[in-house]
Amino acid sequence: MKLIFERSVADRALTLLPECDVEKTVLPEGMARTQALRLPEVGECDISRHYTELAKCAHGVNDGFYPLGSCTMKYNPKVNEQAAALEGFTEIHPLQPQSTLQGALKALVLSEELLCEITGMDNMSFQPAAGAHGEFAGIMLIKAYHESRGDTKRTKIIVPDSAHGTNPASANMAGYTVVSIPSNEDGCVDIEKLKAAVGEDTAGLMLTNPNTVGVFDKNILEITKIVHEAGGLNYYDGANLNAIMGVVRPGDMGFDVIHLNLHKTFSTPHGGGGPGSGAVGCKSLLTPFLPLPRAIKNGDKYELLTESELSFGRMKEFYGNFLVVIKALTYVLTLGAEGIREAAQIAVLNANYMMHELADCYEMAYPGYCMHEFVMTLENTKKQYGVSAMDVAKSLIDHGIHPPTMYFPLIVHEALMVEPTETESKETLDEAVAALRDIAEMTVNNAEAVISAPHTTPISRPDEVMAARSPKLRYEF
Amino acid sequence: MGSYIQSTKAQQQEMLQKIGCKSVEELFSNVPADMALQRPLDIPRGMSESSVMKYMQNMSEENTVFKTVLRGAGAYRHYIPAIVKSVVSKEEFVTAYTPYQAEMSQGILQSIFEYQTMICELTGMDVSNASVYDGASAAAEAVAMCSERKRSKAYISACSNPDVIETVKTYCKGNGMTVELIPENDGATDLDALAAMLGEGAACVYIPQPNYYGIFEDLTKAAEITHNAGAKLIAGCNPIALAMIKTPKECGADIAVGEGQPLGLPIAFGGPYLGFMASTTAMMRKLPGRIVGETVDHDGRRAYVLTLQAREQHIRREKASSNICSNQAHCALTAAVYMAAMGADGLYNVAEQSMSKAHYFAQKLSEIGYELAYTKPYFHEFVTVGVNNTAEALAKLEENGILGGLQLDDNRILWCVTEAVTKEELDKAAAILEEVGK
């Protein structure tokens, strides 16, 4: 595929703006850029075809099955997009008078109410722009809470070794030392190890439940209690909330603070890597520390709360990825109480069905019922046939299926983590099962074909080592 | 009402049977009963698509959309070409995740590579990442990049957007850096004061270009002073202005960041926007977030991949300098399509028209008592003083469908004019203000 710069032809351009209708102002002496700005010189037809060609070499949920574990790639309903494209949302300035923003503020307040009920939290801020940003906000809440009490000796955040990499990175960004505790054999928190790790220096625990191996940790009340008794707070990573919506709530498991990935659980599209929304929710004891400004209801008016002595500060400009919140709100209103619960139930049913249908040809890292996702280990396949998790993943691409998450969680060797989500039909699941069974058979009979996959894509197995060793990060004219 | 579930009840039963389960509830047997929710969620019943659309439409109409916007302060309404909206609504782009699987994501990876190139061209810098959340978090991430064992002080211009200052402070609460504000003098950063402030321990200096008041800063001088103290210069740039003014690289900046919203994104109540971030090659391995690189595949074909991942959280975990993973990829795509549609000349035209119209309006305003607060050259924003009934004046504009400037205090107003506003609209606004003043 040509780069857009390679389509450039001197003096080709679009006509987009009228002639300037006022006298032109001249830039002061010495201010002008001397380096030529080399943007592509293309026509509208060029642009349209260029990006259509790029789009053909991309795969979204719209293109096919996308069982990327821990990412909840459910279908992105179109009505969400339509709502977020309403002029009354897209064309309002963030610094308009609040009396002219009642709809926008109401949308934030309503989203907070609905998502707090679903998670068992008391308040929420939509300022964080993505999951990791929400994690940072959540840990800063914990930090602000301890500091407000003069409890400055709490310098450690406990994170299980099964956690997503953002958890320790977020704790570190907030200035905490990370204590990693090993998981036990069933992938859950090792209670004894946790007991040994907590103490006067414990600021909090970061956990997701169901955990990253797709298992609901049934000791969760004991776990959160151990942390509370040590004086720490419990942080819930909302990455896996899709499994339990309407069934059980993080707030009822003993968690004090939570972040949500609206771009996972609440069906907003991921846009090839964002924008997401990492709403951060908390129990009322942490509300005063939330980032500001925050939309609130005051009588029959909506307004922005801009000052609170205890707020830990601001995360970004303005109020967050507002249009993403609009999409999530549209989704929750569409599903309602019953639909939300049903989504979780079918997400879990679909995962268990796929797991069951594959159990005789793939080794499951944690047999038994799973929640919304399951983890397979290709460790033995690799030893026996030289076919790795990566090879199986690449081979799936030839079947038009986006591979599962590879090599995560780190505690499972040669891991493939499969999350089908509730929006996939039984037919799609059956096709994926058939594809994976095919690959399993090929692994035994013709391993080389799996190892050299994919065979149907524009490129195959790019050289990542070369990319990192001699970085070429821009087009050279 | 709809849950987008496609399997029928019969199929669900069939699946349960295969698993060997009587009901879906059985699959949740690990959830202790005393903890499980014993009631339906207390949220409204689901709505049909047509009802929910009506509901959202009504809610959106409770907001006022101003026909004319003379307010910026971090959010700028420019014209968005039709091709931009068309391209970015392609569902392959909208509904994909981060391009982890290069074979299935060449389109997205290449679009990011092109975006990175355009940002390098715009800023003059060597390397760009794939974007961060917005201009303020980009500034905060840039400050964090400059932290060294013996250098932990960040100096931020008091002429920065207040949201940028606050966001940098938040990040610094976590990473142990300290923040000092460089004072303002006649609407610009006081560089003499900066020279006197900088000492051992200075990690970086952040200067906006143009600044919050619209004024052009002397970035070249700022770079000289900063480098003399052994610190790094971060320039926070308006991307439209960069089409005409000296690039951060030409001025000697080490890192260039900025709010990319003016590049084709709607003002949308503040988000989603786009943080762009570029640096010198020397600082490349400190850049946070995703970066796309060119390589070849096993048959020697040109290919694009996520690269330099040894910097990132999924490899480094608690040793990563940033936790960012999801960024604003779709907004970066929007900016890239916008820049392709505009081209260098078109972007220059946007900058020149915005600046010219701002100066035209400032002249109009000065004729009716709104004097420029500062004497220094400015881009498309400026501050006026001299009229005491500013709240009344702004309210009158609003009644007429015009969102006036942002009131900074009792008699200072921060105005913004972009190319999207016509001379006729400016004349109308001036006439209304003149009427209020009488």
Side-chain angles (χ1 to χ4, degrees):
Chain A
M1 282 187 297
K2 276 186 176 174
L3 286 159
I4 194 153
F5 303 97
E6 294 163 345
R7 293 175 180 268
S8 188
V9 175
D11 296 329
R12 187 174 290 169
L14 283 69
T15 309
L16 296 165
L17 300 180
E19 296 268 317
C20 190
D21 54 7
V22 301
E23 191 190 335
K24 282 185 184 172
T25 305
V26 182
L27 207 59
E29 184 74 25
M31 273 301 299
R33 68 182 280 163
T34 53
Q35 189 188 341
L37 174 56
R38 293 168 296 184
L39 293 178
E41 295 179 86
V42 285
E44 182 166 327
C45 179
D46 291 331
I47 297 175
S48 184
R49 287 189 184 150
H50 175 71
Y51 284 103
T52 299
E53 193 182 358
L54 293 191
K56 284 178 183 162
C57 296
H59 180 97
V61 176
N62 261 55
D63 299 283
F65 192 33
Y66 214 125
L68 189 65
S70 189
C71 298
T72 315
M73 295 298 281
K74 59 172 76 176
Y75 177 71
N76 311 126
K78 302 313 163 201
V79 68
N80 300 355
E81 301 301 310
Q82 201 169 305
L86 288 165
E87 195 191 58
F89 294 134
T90 61
E91 290 302 319
I92 47 175
H93 194 283
L95 300 173
Q96 281 181 205
Q98 291 178 22
S99 61
T100 67
L101 291 169
Q102 289 298 297
L105 297 173
K106 181 177 169 181
L108 291 177
V109 169
L110 181 58
S111 301
E112 178 183 11
E113 282 170 12
L114 297 172
L115 294 173
C116 280
E117 167 63 11
I118 291 170
T119 55
M121 293 289 143
D122 295 318
N123 287 104
M124 195 166 279
S125 161
F126 295 97
Q127 208 172 67
H133 210 210
E135 286 182 30
F136 178 47
I139 298 300
M140 290 299 281
L141 281 178
I142 291 176
K143 186 170 175 148
Y145 169 81
H146 290 309
E147 280 176 1
S148 76
R149 295 156 48 95
D151 195 352
T152 52
K153 60 188 181 300
R154 300 192 177 271
T155 56
K156 291 178 180 164
I157 292 278
I158 300 170
V159 181
D161 60 359
S162 60
H164 195 274
T166 49
N167 286 180
S170 301
N172 179 57
M173 264 178 90
Y176 283 112
T177 305
V178 175
V179 179
S180 178
I181 55 165
S183 306
N184 62 21
E185 273 173 19
D186 59 5
C188 294
V189 171
D190 186 323
I191 298 282
E192 293 313 312
K193 295 264 167 43
L194 176 65
K195 279 183 179 161
V198 298
E200 285 191 339
D201 58 359
T202 302
L205 167 76
M206 294 182 89
L207 203 64
T208 171
N209 193 26
N211 60 22
T212 59
V213 303
V215 173
F216 190 92
D217 200 322
K218 57 180 186 294
N219 298 321
I220 190 64
L221 281 179
E222 192 183 349
I223 292 165
T224 52
K225 195 173 159 205
I226 290 168
V227 175
H228 278 156
E229 282 178 354
L233 295 178
N234 292 295
Y235 177 94
Y236 183 90
D237 179 330
N240 295 344
L241 187 73
N242 204 46
I244 57 163
M245 292 189 297
V247 176
V248 58
R249 311 187 305 171
D252 300 333
M253 298 180 205
F255 287 97
D256 308 289
V257 51
I258 173 175
H259 91 264
L260 300 177
N261 298 291
L262 299 188
H263 48 287
K264 295 179 180 176
T265 317
F266 296 97
S267 85
T268 77
H270 205 276
S277 173
V280 61
C282 64
K283 291 283 182 67
S284 57
L285 86 162
L286 294 174
T287 300
F289 307 100
L290 280 170
L292 295 178
R294 194 161 68 82
I296 53 166
K297 193 172 185 189
N298 186 0
D300 57 356
K301 288 266 182 288
Y302 296 91
E303 54 186 50
L304 280 170
L305 182 70
T306 52
E307 278 178 45
S308 153
E309 242 172 68
L310 295 172
S311 167
F312 74 75
R314 178 184 272 285
M315 304 289 300
K316 69 185 292 294
E317 293 156 15
F318 307 118
Y319 329 109
N321 284 340
F322 173 68
L323 296 181
V324 178
V325 180
I326 290 294
K327 293 176 194 182
L329 173 60
T330 307
Y331 177 73
V332 174
L333 290 173
T334 303
L335 265 63
E338 281 313 300
I340 290 281
R341 182 179 163 93
E342 192 188 3
Q345 288 177 325
I346 304 303
V348 171
L349 173 61
N350 281 357
N352 277 286
Y353 176 68
M354 263 192 91
M355 185 184 183
H356 178 267
E357 296 295 288
L358 290 169
D360 63 331
C361 57
Y362 286 91
E363 189 182 339
M364 298 300 158
Y366 301 92
Y369 292 147
C370 65
M371 295 297 280
H372 63 304
E373 63 193 0
F374 60 92
V375 180
M376 313 194 290
T377 169
L378 279 289
E379 197 174 9
N380 287 326
T381 315
K382 179 147 189 220
K383 277 186 201 140
Q384 205 174 342
Y385 303 103
V387 170
S388 66
M390 159 104 87
D391 298 327
V392 172
K394 296 295 181 193
S395 202
L396 264 179
I397 294 176
D398 283 333
H399 290 82
I401 294 170
H402 192 285
T405 295
M406 313 183 295
Y407 300 99
F408 183 79
L410 305 180
I411 55 172
V412 178
H413 295 146
E414 294 294 329
L416 283 179
M417 183 193 226
V418 185
E419 181 181 12
T421 84
E422 73 280 9
T423 57
E424 297 301 336
S425 66
K426 178 172 178 294
E427 297 89 282
T428 302
L429 303 181
D430 287 339
E431 283 166 22
V433 166
L436 277 161
R437 297 186 74 93
D438 259 4
I439 295 166
E441 206 180 298
M442 257 192 346
T443 298
V444 178
N445 300 329
N446 184 9
E448 187 43 44
V450 182
I451 292 166
S452 59
H455 305 281
T456 57
T457 46
I459 60 127
S460 183
R461 306 264 179 157
D463 187 341
E464 296 190 5
V465 175
M466 178 180 134
R469 281 210 185 129
S470 31
K472 191 176 174 203
L473 310 178
R474 56 160 297 168
Y475 173 68
E476 295 297 343
F477 289 89
Chain B
M1 202 149 140
S3 53
Y4 306 101
I5 287 166
Q6 304 208 85
S7 56
T8 62
K9 293 286 172 215
Q11 286 178 319
Q12 290 169 18
Q13 276 311 317
E14 202 185 320
M15 286 155 76
L16 280 169
Q17 262 172 16
K18 283 227 173 148
I19 300 168
C21 234
K22 286 200 184 65
S23 68
V24 179
E25 281 74 18
E26 220 178 303
L27 298 171
F28 288 85
S29 54
N30 256 8
V31 179
D34 55 348
M35 192 200 317
L37 202 58
Q38 303 295 344
R39 57 170 176 85
L41 285 169
D42 185 17
I43 66 177
R45 280 171 53 86
M47 289 188 209
S48 69
E49 180 173 318
S50 79
S51 308
V52 83
M53 199 55 214
K54 187 94 193 152
Y55 184 88
M56 296 306 287
Q57 172 92 42
N58 288 341
M59 196 185 283
S60 77
E61 285 167 7
E62 289 173 45
N63 300 317
T64 306
V65 175
F66 290 98
K67 189 168 166 286
T68 307
V69 175
L70 301 175
R71 189 170 296 190
Y76 304 96
R77 194 200 266 175
H78 290 280
Y79 178 69
I80 302 173
I83 184 69
V84 174
K85 291 182 186 172
S86 155
V87 166
V88 303
S89 59
K90 287 185 190 296
E91 294 185 328
E92 294 85 348
F93 296 136
V94 175
T95 68
Y97 203 78
T98 303
Y100 292 134
Q101 295 290 345
E103 288 91 342
M104 261 182 148
S105 316
Q106 281 302 293
I108 286 177
L109 288 160
Q110 184 177 320
S111 79
I112 297 172
F113 184 79
E114 292 172 355
Y115 161 83
Q116 289 174 184
T117 306
M118 293 181 196
I119 292 298
C120 288
E121 278 295 311
L122 204 55
T123 57
M125 305 305 290
D126 306 322
V127 191
S128 161
N129 71 6
S131 79
V132 292
Y133 309 132
D134 68 354
S137 61
E141 290 277 10
V143 166
M145 276 172 73
C146 300
S147 171
E148 289 174 26
R149 192 178 293 273
K150 289 184 177 168
R151 292 182 176 274
S152 60
K153 283 186 183 162
Y155 296 83
I156 313 294
S157 167
C159 303
S160 307
N161 184 308
D163 286 7
V164 170
I165 297 174
E166 285 178 43
T167 304
V168 170
K169 282 183 176 168
T170 301
Y171 276 64
C172 287
K173 270 185 204 169
N175 64 24
M177 294 179 77
T178 55
V179 178
E180 280 192 52
L181 289 187
I182 315 161
E184 173 234 311
N185 179 19
D186 187 24
T189 312
D190 187 339
L191 295 180
D192 294 334
L194 173 66
M197 289 168 87
L198 288 178
E200 272 180 39
C204 60
V205 170
Y206 175 88
I207 309 279
Q209 180 69 316
N211 70 23
Y212 185 57
Y213 307 118
I215 288 170
F216 289 121
E217 296 277 359
D218 189 347
L219 270 189
T220 307
K221 189 176 167 194
E224 212 178 284
I225 293 167
T226 303
H227 291 154
N228 282 342
K232 303 280 194 298
L233 180 70
I234 304 163
C237 307
N238 178 310
I240 301 289
L242 286 180
M244 61 195 303
I245 64 171
K246 259 192 193 169
T247 65
K249 181 64 179 289
E250 286 174 307
C251 298
D254 300 280
I255 306 172
V257 296
E259 177 48 70
Q261 176 273 327
L263 300 171
L265 290 158
I267 47 181
F269 195 49
Y273 287 179
L274 163 71
F276 66 84
M277 209 169 175
S279 77
T280 56
T281 305
M283 298 198 75
M284 172 177 79
R285 285 177 202 272
K286 290 191 167 179
L287 272 174
R290 311 293 189 196
I291 297 179
V292 171
E294 187 180 305
T295 184
V296 292
D297 80 346
H298 74 156
D299 290 328
R301 291 171 292 198
R302 182 165 75 179
Y304 299 93
V305 292
L306 293 173
T307 193
L308 302 181
Q309 298 194 64
R311 302 163 294 119
E312 292 189 66
Q313 46 76 29
H314 61 284
I315 311 279
R316 304 256 301 164
R317 294 179 79 83
E318 70 270 19
K319 293 188 187 71
S321 61
S322 170
N323 67 350
I324 189 167
C325 30
S326 280
N327 46 73
Q328 303 286 108
H330 193 255
C331 304
L333 173 72
T334 308
V337 183
Y338 177 85
M339 286 188 272
M342 283 296 167
D345 292 345
L347 207 59
Y348 188 93
N349 193 5
V350 173
E352 187 177 53
Q353 290 210 27
S354 300
M355 181 163 146
S356 301
K357 289 180 181 188
H359 283 72
Y360 172 80
F361 190 53
Q363 174 62 35
K364 278 277 200 196
L365 288 179
S366 73
E367 288 163 13
I368 54 172
Y370 293 81
E371 295 295 333
L372 278 174
Y374 310 113
T375 57
K376 295 198 168 80
Y378 59 92
F379 180 49
H380 70 341
E381 288 183 279
F382 56 92
V383 178
T384 58
V385 286
V387 173
N388 289 322
N389 58 343
T390 48
E392 190 194 331
L394 291 171
K396 198 73 192 168
L397 288 177
E398 282 156 28
E399 279 171 32
N400 286 279
I402 302 168
L403 181 65
L406 182 70
Q407 195 173 346
L408 296 180
D409 51 37
D410 284 346
N411 68 350
R412 287 195 311 154
I413 302 178
L414 174 62
W415 301 90
C416 173
V417 187
T418 70
E419 90 294 347
V421 183
T422 62
K423 175 173 175 290
E424 202 183 345
E425 288 173 283
L426 295 173
D427 290 343
K428 181 181 162 193
I432 293 165
L433 291 171
E434 189 174 10
E435 197 58 35
V436 178
K438 274 181 185 164

